[in-house]
Amino acid sequence: MEITIGIKNVARELNLEISEDGDAVVASINEALAKSADGADGAVLDLTDTKGRRVVVPVAALGYVEIGADEPRRVGFGTL
């Protein structure tokens, strides 16, 4: 599943390919936002992609999170 994270005051987006399903990602985002709403100054969104890279974004800097559709990768050269 592909995820795009927009960060405030940064022109470039973060693009991640993760193995988790969409519901697990939404739960992680909601948990981070809830911590931030409770007054935790160090609330972060912590995700790990399929290559093992770990991305940690402060919740205060989040602009948006776009979650792609759950579809298997296409194989081959033809377009369907």
Side-chain angles (χ1 to χ4, degrees):
M1 162 174 297
E2 185 175 330
I3 295 178
T4 303
I5 300 173
I7 300 174
K8 294 178 185 176
N9 301 321
V10 176
R12 189 172 172 199
E13 301 172 332
L14 294 174
N15 293 316
L16 301 171
E17 184 73 33
I18 63 170
S19 59
E20 296 178 14
D21 64 340
D23 293 333
V25 174
V26 170
S28 296
I29 295 167
N30 286 336
E31 181 182 339
L33 290 172
K35 286 181 183 177
S36 177
D38 288 340
D41 290 333
V44 295
L45 176 61
D46 187 0
L47 298 171
T48 304
D49 71 357
T50 55
K51 296 178 182 178
R53 293 182 304 170
R54 190 171 177 186
V55 177
V56 180
V57 180
V59 173
L62 281 178
Y64 64 91
V65 178
E66 181 180 307
I67 301 171
D70 255 346
E71 64 180 51
R73 283 204 178 274
R74 295 183 181 153
V75 178
F77 295 102
T79 58
L80 299 176

